[in-house]
C-alpha cells in the first residue's frame, strides 16, 4: 500500500480510495471498539463525577497524564472523535458511489445469459420434447412467479431478484448518520440537571435552583420551560422481612407532586415514580433517588437563630441509608459548622454507632461542631463539604470529645415519643443545636433531549435496513432452451448467488421441477 | 403452590436438568467413541452406535423440557411473578436454555448431529457454573428493573446471547476444521511427486475417520456460523440500541450514558459488525473473520461476567440494587457560567 510517486491530486485521490475501502472501514471499526474500552475502565467525569473525583484523589501521579490523554472523558476526546469521524467519512465515501451504482443497476435489465450455463457451479440441464418458445415462455412465467425480474432475449431467459438487499444495506448505513445527527442534536441543544427537593419543598425550572446542571452549547436561559412543582408526599416500601434476600431494600417509591406548566396555568397533580417520568412540554422530570433531610436549627451564643431549615443528607449506604451531611450557620459570629452522620434507624449502641435499617425507625444525628470562618467569601463551594481550614473543632480533645448526638423532636411532622431531648448546648457558649424534625427528600432529574426521536427513528430504520441486507438473498438465474438436431430440446438452468451466504441449489431443483411439471402435463 | 415451593421446584429442576444433560453427554460420548473409528461417510442407522445417538438426542430434549420447568419455576417464585431475568444466575439459565432450544429447533434443518456433543457439553458446563458460582435466591427486583421493558430488552439480549454462543461454537469448529483441511491439502500435495497421480486419487477415495472428519467442510461451517451471527446481530441491535436506550430514557433520564455495560454492549455490537464486514472483505474472509467473531463472543462474555464482577459498583446495570443517587453539587455561580 505504499504511495506511488504522484502529484497532489493523485495523492489525494489515492488517500480517498484508501480511506473509503472496506479494509479501512473494518480496521476503523475494530479501532473504535478498542478505543471505547478505556471509558469503561477509568471513571468518566460525565458519567459519574463523584467516582471520577475519588479516583483522581487516589491516583495523584497518574491523574495529570490521564487528563492529558482525555481518559476522564473518552467519548469527547480528540482521538475517539477522530476515529468515529474518519469512520463516518469512510462510510459516506463508501455509500455515495454505491448509491449511484445501485440506481443504475436498479434500472438496468438482468444481465445476458453466459454462453455456457452448465459451466457455472450451480446448474442443471434436461431434455424435453417441447419447443424452445414454449419452454422459455414457461420459464419466464415460473421465474416471475418467484419474484424475479425477467428478460427474454437470444433464446434465453435472464432473471434477477433481491434488489432490495443493497437498498437495505444503503438504508442501514445512511440511517446510522441520522442516528448520529439525533445524538448531536441532543448534546448541543439539550440540557440535564438534578435537584434535591424535600417534602413540602418546591422547585421552579430556573437555573439557580439546580444542584447540578449540564447544557449543550446552544442552550440559553430562555430554553428552560417555566414550570414549577411542589413535592407533597413521598412514599416508599421497605422490605422488612428478614428472610427476604433483599432485606432492607426500598421499593415502590412514589412522590406525589403538584405542578403548573407555566405561571398562571392550572395546577395538576402527578405521582412521580421510577420508570414513570412526568413530561411537561418536551421536558421530562424523573425520580431517581431519595434520602432524608433533618430540620436543624442553630442558635448563636445570644440565643438568636442563625440557621434553620431542612438540610439534605446524602445516603452513603443503600442498605441502611446511613447518610452524611453538613450544616453551615454563616449568620453567626464566629460562624458555626456541623459535620456528621445521620442514622435513620439507630442501633441503640453508643459504642458502635450505626443504622440497622433504612426507614426512619429511630433517627439519630451524630455530628461534630466547628467554629471559625466557613470560607464562603473565598468563592463557590459545595454545600456538602465543610471547609475546615479556618475552623476550630469544639471540645476537640480525645478525653473531652464533644458530639452533637441528637434525636429529632418530630419525625416527618409527627411527635417523636422516643426522643427525650432534641437540643444540645455547644461548648464555650458558642450556641445551641436543635434537631426539630426530619423529612424525606427526592432527587429529581430534569432533562430535555431534543433529537431523541430522530435517533430512535434512525435506529429503527437502520434495523429495518439491516434485516433487508441480511435476509434478502439476491440471485441471478438463467434458462436457455436449444433445439437439437434430433428434435429434442435441451434446457439449461443456472443460478448465481450474489449474497455471501446463500445456497442456490435448492432453487434450481425447484425451478427445474416447475418447468418439467408443466411440460410433462402438456404431453399427457 | 407457595413461592417457596416454586423456588424449590426450580432448583430441583435445575439439578435434574444438570443430571439429564450429563447423561446425554455420556450417551453422545459413547456414540462418538464408536463413530470415531468408522469411515466418515458410513453412519450406521441401527445397532449400538445409532441407539446411543438417539438416546443422547432424547435426553437432550428431556433436559431442555426440565430446563424450561426450572425457568418457569423461577418466574413463579418471585413476588410479584415476573420473567426469570432478575440476576446473573437467571440470565445464564435462560441463555443456556436458548442454546439448547435453538440446537433442537435447527437440528433437522441444518443436520446438526455433528454438533450435538459440543452443544450438550457446553450447556452442561455452563449450567454447572451457574448453579455452583452464580446461584442466588429469588429476590424482588430493584425498582428501576420493574418495567415492561425488562421483558423486551432482556428477552432480546438473552436470545442474542444464546445464538451468538452457538455461532461462536461453530466458528471454533470452523477454525479447527479449516486447519485440518489445509494440513490434508499440504500432505496430498507432497504425495504427488513421490507416488504420482494414482496414489492421490486413492488417498482421496479412502474415507477418513475421526471426529473431525464427521464435521462438515469448513465452507459449510463458515456459512452456518454466518447464518447464526446474521440472525443474532439484528436481535442484539434491537436489544442494546433500540429497546435498551428507550428503557434507559424512561428509567434514568438519558438514552445513552456510556455506562460500563452500555460501553461493552456497544463494543460487542461494533465487533460483530466488523465480523459481517470481514466476511465480505478480501484477505479477511474465512479464518480472520472467524477470529473477529470469536473476539465478539469474548466481549459479550466480558460484558456479562466482567462488568458485573469488576465494575459492579460503577455500573447502573448491576442487578442487586439501584446505584446510589449521585449528587454532584456546584454553586449557582458555576451554574450560570455553564450557560
Amino acid at each position: 500500500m505504499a504511495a506511488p510517486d504522484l502529484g497532489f491530486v493523485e495523492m489525494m485521490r489515492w488517500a480517498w480510495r484508501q480511506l473509503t475501502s472496506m479494509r479501512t472501514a473494518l480496521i476503523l471499526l475494530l479501532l473504535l471498539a478498542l478505543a471505547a474500552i478505556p471509558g469503561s475502565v477509568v471513571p468518566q467525569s460525565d458519567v459519574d463525577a463523584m467516582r471520577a473525583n475519588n479516583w483522581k484523589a487516589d491516583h495523584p501521579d497518574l491523574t495529570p497524564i490521564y487528563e492529558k490523554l482525555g481518559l476522564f472523558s473518552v467519548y469527547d476526546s480528540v482521538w475517539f472523535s477522530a476515529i468515529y469521524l474518519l469512520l463516518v467519512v469512510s462510510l459516506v465515501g463508501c455509500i455515495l458511489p454505491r448509491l449511484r451504482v445501485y440506481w443504475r443497476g436498479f434500472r438496468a435489465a438482468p444481465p445476458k445469459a453466459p454462453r455456457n450455463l452448465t459451466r457455472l457451479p450451480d446448474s442443471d440441464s434436461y431434455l424435453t420434447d417441447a419447443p424452445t418458445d414454449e419452454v422459455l415462455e414457461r420459464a419466464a412465467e415460473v421465474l416471475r412467479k418467484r419474484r424475479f425480474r425477467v428478460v427474454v432475449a437470444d433464446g434465453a431467459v435472464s432473471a434477477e431478484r433481491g434488489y432490495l438487499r443493497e437498498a437495505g444495506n444503503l438504508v442501514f448505513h445512511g440511517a446510522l448518520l441520522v442516528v448520529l445527527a439525533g445524538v448531536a442534536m441532543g448534546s448541543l441543544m439539550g440540557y440535564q440537571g438534578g435537584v434535591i427537593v424535600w417534602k413540602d419543598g418546591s422547585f421552579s425550572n430556573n437555573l439557580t435552583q439546580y444542584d447540578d446542571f449540564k447544557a449543550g452549547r446552544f442552550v440559553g436561559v430562555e430554553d428552560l420551560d417555566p414550570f414549577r412543582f411542589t413535592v407533597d408526599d413521598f412514599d416508599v416500601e421497605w422490605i422488612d422481612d428478614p428472610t427476604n434476600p433483599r432485606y432492607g431494600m426500598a421499593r415502590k417509591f412514589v412522590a406525589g407532586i403538584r405542578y403548573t406548566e407555566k405561571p398562571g396555568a392550572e395546577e395538576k397533580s402527578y405521582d412521580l415514580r421510577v420508570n414513570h417520568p412526568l413530561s411537561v412540554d418536551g421536558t421530562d422530570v424523573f425520580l431517581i433517588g431519595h434520602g432524608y433531610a433533618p430540620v436543624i436549627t442553630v442558635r448563636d451564643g445570644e440565643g438568636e437563630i442563625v440557621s434553620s431549615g431542612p438540610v439534605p443528607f446524602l445516603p452513603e449506604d443503600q442498605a441502611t441509608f446511613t447518610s452524611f451531611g453538613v450544616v453551615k450557620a454563616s449568620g453567626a459570629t464566629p460562624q458555626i459548622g456541623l459535620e456528621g452522620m445521620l442514622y435513620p434507624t439507630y442501633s441503640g449502641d453508643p459504642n458502635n454507632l450505626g443504622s440497622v435499617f433504612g426507614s426512619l425507625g429511630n433517627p439519630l444525628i451524630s455530628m461534630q461542631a466547628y467554629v471559625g470562618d466557613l470560607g464562603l467569601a473565598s468563592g463557590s463551594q459545595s454545600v456538602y463539604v465543610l471547609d475546615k481550614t479556618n475552623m476550630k473543632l469544639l471540645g476537640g480533645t480525645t478525653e473531652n470529645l464533644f458530639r452533637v448526638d441528637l434525636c429529632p423532636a418530630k419525625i416527618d411532622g409527627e411527635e417523636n415519643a422516643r426522643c427525650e431531648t432534641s437540643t444540645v448546648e455547644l461548648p464555650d457558649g458558642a450556641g445551641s443545636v436543635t434537631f426539630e424534625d426530619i423529612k424525606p427528600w427526592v432527587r429529581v432529574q430534569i432533562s430535555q433531549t431534543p433529537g431523541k426521536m430522530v435517533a430512535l427513528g434512525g435506529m429503527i430504520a437502520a434495523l429495518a435496513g439491516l434485516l433487508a441486507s441480511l435476509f434478502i438473498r439476491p440471485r441471478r438465474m438463467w434458462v436457455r432452451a436449444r433445439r437439437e438436431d434430433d428434435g429434442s430440446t435441451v434446457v439449461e438452468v443456472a443460478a448465481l448467488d450474489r449474497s455471501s451466504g446463500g445456497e442456490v441449489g435448492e432453487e434450481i431443483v425447484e425451478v427445474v421441477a416447475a418447468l418439467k411439471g408443466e411440460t410433462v402435463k402438456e404431453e399427457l | 403452590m407457595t413461592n417457596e415451593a416454586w423456588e424449590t421446584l426450580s432448583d430441583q429442576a435445575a439439578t435434574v436438568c444438570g443430571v439429564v444433560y450429563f447423561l446425554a453427554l455420556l450417551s453422545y460420548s459413547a456414540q462418538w467413541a464408536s463413530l470415531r473409528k468408522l469411515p466418515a461417510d458410513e453412519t450406521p442407522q441401527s445397532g449400538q452406535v445409532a441407539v446411543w445417538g438417539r438416546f443422547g438426542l432424547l435426553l437432550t430434549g428431556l433436559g431442555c423440557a426440565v430446563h424450561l420447568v426450572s425457568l418457569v419455576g423461577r418466574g413463579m417464585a418471585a413476588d410479584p411473578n415476573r420473567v426469570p431475568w432478575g440476576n446473573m444466575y437467571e440470565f445464564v439459565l435462560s441463555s443456556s436454555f436458548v442454546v439448547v432450544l435453538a440446537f433442537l429447533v435447527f437440528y433437522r434443518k441444518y443436520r446438526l448431529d455433528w454438533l450435538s456433543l459440543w452443544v450438550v457439553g457446553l450447556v452442561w458446563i455452563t449450567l454447572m457454573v451457574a448453579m455452583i458460582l452464580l446461584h442466588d435466591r429469588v429476590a424482588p427486583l430493584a425498582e428501576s428493573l420493574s418495567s415492561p421493558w425488562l421483558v423486551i430488552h432482556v428477552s432480546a439480549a438473552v436470545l442474542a446471547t444464546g445464538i451468538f454462543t452457538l455461532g461462536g461454537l461453530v466458528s471454533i469448529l470452523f477454525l479447527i476444521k479449516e486447519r485440518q483441511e489445509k494440513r490434508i491439502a499440504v500432505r496430498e500435495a507432497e504425495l504427488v511427486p513421490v507416488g504420482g497421480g494414482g496414489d492421490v486419487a486413492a488417498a482421496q477415495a479412502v474415507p477418513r475417520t475421526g471426529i473431525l472428519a464427521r464435521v462438515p467442510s469448513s465452507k459449510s461451517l463458515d456459512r452456518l456460523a454466518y447464518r447464526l451471527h446474521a440472525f443474532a446481530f439484528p436481535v442484539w441491535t434491537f436489544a442494546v440500541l433500540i429497546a435498551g436506550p428507550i428503557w434507559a430514557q424512561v428509567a434514568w433520564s438519558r438514552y445513552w450514558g456510556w455506562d460500563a455495560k452500555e460501553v461493552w454492549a456497544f463494543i460487542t455490537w461494533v465487533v460483530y459488525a466488523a465480523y459481517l464486514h470481514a466476511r465480505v472483505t478480501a484477505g479477511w474472509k474465512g479464518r480472520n473473520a472467524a477470529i473477529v467473531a470469536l473476539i465478539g463472543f469474548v466481549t459479550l462474555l466480558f460484558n456479562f461476567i466482567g462488568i458485573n464482577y469488576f465494575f459492579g459498583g460503577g455500573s447502573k446495570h448491576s442487578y442487586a440494587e439501584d446505584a446510589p443517587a449521585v449528587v454532584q453539587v456546584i454553586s449557582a455561580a458555576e451554574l450560570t457560567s455553564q450557560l
Side-chain angles (χ1 to χ4, degrees):
Chain A
M1 289 220 295
D5 195 10
L6 298 168
F8 179 72
V9 177
E10 282 90 358
M11 186 72 187
M12 291 311 287
R13 200 170 285 161
W14 177 83
W16 178 251
R17 255 202 311 276
Q18 290 303 324
L19 181 61
T20 56
S21 77
M22 187 75 126
R23 191 182 307 249
T24 311
L26 189 56
I27 288 166
L28 284 172
L29 269 175
L30 291 174
L31 263 182
L32 185 70
L34 203 63
I37 294 176
S40 70
V41 181
V42 180
Q44 299 293 291
S45 307
D46 293 346
V47 178
D48 194 337
M50 203 146 79
R51 272 186 74 225
N53 288 335
N54 290 345
W55 195 95
K56 286 177 190 176
D58 292 346
H59 303 85
D61 297 336
L62 281 177
T63 300
I65 304 169
Y66 276 32
E67 258 165 4
K68 257 201 194 109
L69 294 173
L71 285 177
F72 296 110
S73 53
V74 165
Y75 308 106
D76 300 331
S77 70
V78 181
W79 45 276
F80 190 79
S81 312
I83 294 172
Y84 79 75
L85 286 178
L86 274 176
L87 200 56
V88 166
V89 173
S90 161
L91 192 154
V92 171
C94 181
I95 60 174
L96 280 184
R98 271 168 63 187
L99 261 179
R100 206 170 53 218
V101 170
Y102 180 67
W103 176 243
R104 278 202 207 127
F106 191 76
R107 296 191 306 169
K112 269 172 66 178
R115 194 167 296 163
N116 198 341
L117 285 181
T118 45
R119 277 216 193 130
L120 285 169
D122 292 291
S123 60
D124 194 9
S125 66
Y126 66 95
L127 286 173
T128 177
D129 295 334
T132 53
D133 290 355
E134 201 176 291
V135 171
L136 291 182
E137 203 176 296
R138 175 73 195 144
E141 194 186 315
V142 165
L143 289 170
R144 268 196 204 102
K145 221 177 238 167
R146 299 179 80 93
R147 290 188 290 135
F148 275 86
R149 185 182 286 188
V150 175
V151 167
V152 186
D154 304 334
V157 175
S158 305
E160 184 158 11
R161 189 180 76 178
Y163 290 81
L164 281 179
R165 178 195 182 87
E166 176 69 357
N169 202 321
L170 293 169
V171 165
F172 171 72
H173 288 94
L176 290 185
L177 298 179
V178 176
V179 174
L180 275 183
V183 173
M185 271 172 81
S187 67
L188 291 173
M189 288 146 64
Y191 69 83
Q192 190 170 58
V195 61
I196 283 178
V197 186
W198 49 80
K199 188 180 164 184
D200 303 325
S202 54
F203 170 86
S204 51
N205 194 18
N206 178 318
L207 206 49
T208 55
Q209 300 239 325
Y210 281 97
D211 293 338
D212 65 272
F213 191 80
K214 218 165 45 184
R217 198 166 295 166
F218 301 139
V219 179
V221 182
E222 69 283 355
D223 291 321
L224 300 184
D225 292 321
F227 63 86
R228 59 174 283 128
F229 63 84
T230 305
V231 177
D232 280 337
D233 206 2
F234 180 68
D235 265 342
V236 64
E237 187 187 290
W238 296 92
I239 297 178
D240 51 7
D241 170 11
T243 63
N244 193 308
R246 293 279 181 274
Y247 172 74
M249 187 176 89
R251 58 175 180 173
K252 298 189 181 157
F253 322 117
V254 187
I257 64 171
R258 272 176 297 129
Y259 70 99
T260 49
E261 297 197 355
K262 50 179 78 117
E266 184 199 352
E267 192 172 61
K268 298 173 193 163
S269 46
Y270 188 81
D271 283 343
L272 196 59
R273 286 179 292 153
V274 176
N275 274 319
H276 294 86
L278 164 68
S279 197
V280 183
D281 207 14
T283 308
D284 295 317
V285 180
F286 301 85
L287 174 66
I288 61 164
H290 62 113
Y292 298 113
V295 182
I296 293 171
T297 301
V298 181
R299 290 182 173 79
D300 64 10
E302 270 97 60
E304 296 289 320
I305 294 178
V306 285
S307 162
S308 179
V311 184
F313 276 45
L314 303 180
E316 293 196 327
D317 173 23
Q318 290 289 307
T320 63
F321 262 71
T322 299
S323 310
F324 172 84
V326 161
V327 178
K328 294 179 190 180
S330 55
T333 356
Q335 291 175 324
I336 302 168
L338 304 173
E339 181 190 76
M341 310 304 291
L342 161 73
Y343 306 106
T345 301
Y346 168 49
S347 57
D349 177 4
N351 298 318
N352 186 16
L353 281 175
S355 178
V356 291
F357 204 71
S359 68
L360 290 176
N362 181 22
L364 178 88
I365 54 168
S366 177
M367 306 181 84
Q368 289 190 307
Y370 297 82
V371 288
D373 181 6
L374 288 166
L376 295 173
S378 62
S380 61
Q381 60 170 229
S382 164
V383 294
Y384 297 100
V385 176
L386 190 66
D387 178 2
K388 285 171 275 196
T389 31
N390 296 311
M391 301 289 280
K392 186 180 125 254
L393 180 61
L394 284 176
T397 55
T398 28
E399 306 94 73
N400 186 22
L401 193 68
F402 172 76
R403 297 197 71 91
V404 178
D405 288 347
L406 292 175
C407 50
K410 292 178 185 170
I411 295 176
D412 200 7
E414 312 247 325
E415 222 51 60
N416 181 12
R418 293 178 77 158
C419 189
E420 285 164 13
T421 169
S422 56
T423 301
V424 68
E425 295 290 330
L426 296 176
D428 311 339
S432 70
V433 176
T434 309
F435 190 0
E436 314 266 4
D437 196 354
I438 184 163
K439 293 177 175 213
W441 57 251
V442 290
R443 181 163 158 79
V444 169
Q445 187 90 359
I446 293 156
S447 76
Q448 201 172 43
T449 323
K452 65 182 175 203
M453 283 329 216
V454 176
L456 178 62
M459 209 55 231
I460 289 172
L463 182 62
L466 181 66
L467 289 172
S469 77
L470 288 175
F471 298 120
I472 292 179
R473 301 249 164 82
R475 53 188 50 170
R476 289 177 178 158
M477 280 196 97
W478 296 277
V479 179
R480 176 174 283 136
R482 202 173 55 239
R483 201 75 182 171
E484 291 288 293
D485 296 336
D486 62 1
S488 65
T489 302
V490 180
V491 183
E492 294 170 352
V493 182
L496 191 64
D497 172 63
R498 304 195 66 224
S499 70
S500 53
E503 282 169 294
V504 288
E506 217 166 278
E507 182 136 35
I508 291 182
V509 171
E510 282 169 25
V511 166
V512 168
L515 288 175
K516 276 185 184 163
E518 193 58 39
T519 41
V520 168
K521 240 182 235 166
E522 273 176 10
E523 274 171 13
L524 290 170
Chain B
M1 259 169 99
T2 61
N3 287 337
E4 286 73 23
W6 279 113
E7 188 170 349
T8 314
L9 173 73
S10 170
D11 288 348
Q12 285 170 348
T15 312
V16 171
C17 183
V19 173
V20 174
Y21 282 147
F22 183 64
L23 292 177
L25 188 62
L26 286 182
S27 304
Y28 280 132
S29 304
Q31 180 205 9
W32 280 88
S34 313
L35 277 181
R36 197 164 55 93
K37 294 172 202 140
L38 294 174
D41 57 353
E42 187 184 308
T43 308
Q45 294 305 313
S46 58
Q48 219 177 2
V49 179
V51 167
W52 280 125
R54 252 174 266 150
F55 198 52
L57 184 63
L58 188 73
L59 284 170
T60 312
L62 184 67
C64 186
V66 182
H67 205 150
L68 182 65
V69 170
S70 170
L71 276 179
V72 172
R74 221 38 214 186
M76 297 298 285
D79 178 33
N81 291 343
R82 59 171 165 85
V83 285
W85 303 321
N87 57 34
M88 281 177 77
Y89 170 70
E90 293 173 2
F91 191 91
V92 176
L93 205 62
S94 305
S95 317
S96 50
F97 173 73
V98 169
V99 172
V100 182
L101 190 68
F103 167 71
L104 290 174
V105 166
F106 294 120
Y107 185 82
R108 257 169 184 279
K109 189 173 174 197
Y110 294 125
R111 285 186 217 100
L112 293 178
D113 43 350
W114 52 273
L115 195 59
S116 47
L117 184 66
W118 314 107
V119 165
V120 173
L122 177 78
V123 168
W124 182 69
I125 291 170
T126 312
L127 200 67
M128 288 301 107
V129 168
M131 287 171 68
I132 294 164
L133 297 178
L134 303 174
H135 185 268
D136 209 347
R137 290 201 44 210
V138 174
L141 290 179
E143 187 68 8
S144 58
L145 287 180
S146 315
S147 161
W149 286 102
L150 175 72
V151 183
I152 301 164
H153 171 67
V154 185
S155 64
V158 167
L159 180 64
T161 303
I163 306 294
F164 275 140
T165 307
L166 265 184
L169 188 61
V170 176
S171 289
I172 292 174
L173 287 173
F174 165 83
L175 287 175
I176 299 173
K177 180 79 182 183
E178 202 225 10
R179 212 172 117 104
Q180 192 214 26
E181 279 174 2
K182 265 194 194 141
R183 277 194 185 163
I184 291 174
V186 168
R187 211 177 305 146
E188 275 166 6
E190 282 167 354
L191 275 178
V192 176
V194 184
D199 280 7
V200 177
Q204 279 171 339
V206 174
R208 297 173 192 291
T209 56
I211 291 178
L212 267 186
R214 289 182 176 270
V215 172
S217 69
S218 64
K219 204 180 154 205
S220 357
L221 286 177
D222 176 56
R223 201 181 296 137
L224 180 61
Y226 169 73
R227 284 197 176 151
L228 290 166
H229 286 115
F231 176 83
F233 185 70
V235 180
W236 185 250
T237 306
F238 173 76
V240 305
L241 296 178
I242 293 180
I246 293 177
W247 189 11
Q249 174 71 36
V250 174
W252 299 329
S253 81
R254 84 289 186 290
Y255 57 80
W256 192 266
W258 297 110
D259 173 83
K261 202 125 203 163
E262 292 170 0
V263 172
W264 279 90
F266 173 74
I267 291 173
T268 303
W269 188 81
V270 169
V271 175
Y272 278 121
Y275 162 74
L276 294 179
H277 283 90
R279 252 193 114 255
V280 291
T281 306
W284 284 77
K285 277 178 200 156
R287 201 180 135 73
N288 285 356
I291 291 172
V292 173
L294 287 176
I295 295 174
F297 185 60
V298 170
T299 66
L300 186 77
L301 281 186
F302 181 78
N303 192 16
F304 175 59
I305 299 164
I307 298 300
N308 288 29
Y309 276 109
F310 307 134
F311 298 77
S315 171
K316 273 174 170 285
H317 282 80
S318 55
Y319 280 113
E321 276 167 11
D322 281 338
V326 175
V327 183
Q328 171 201 7
V329 182
I330 40 183
S331 71
E334 268 182 72
L335 281 178
T336 354
S337 70
Q338 288 197 359
L339 275 195

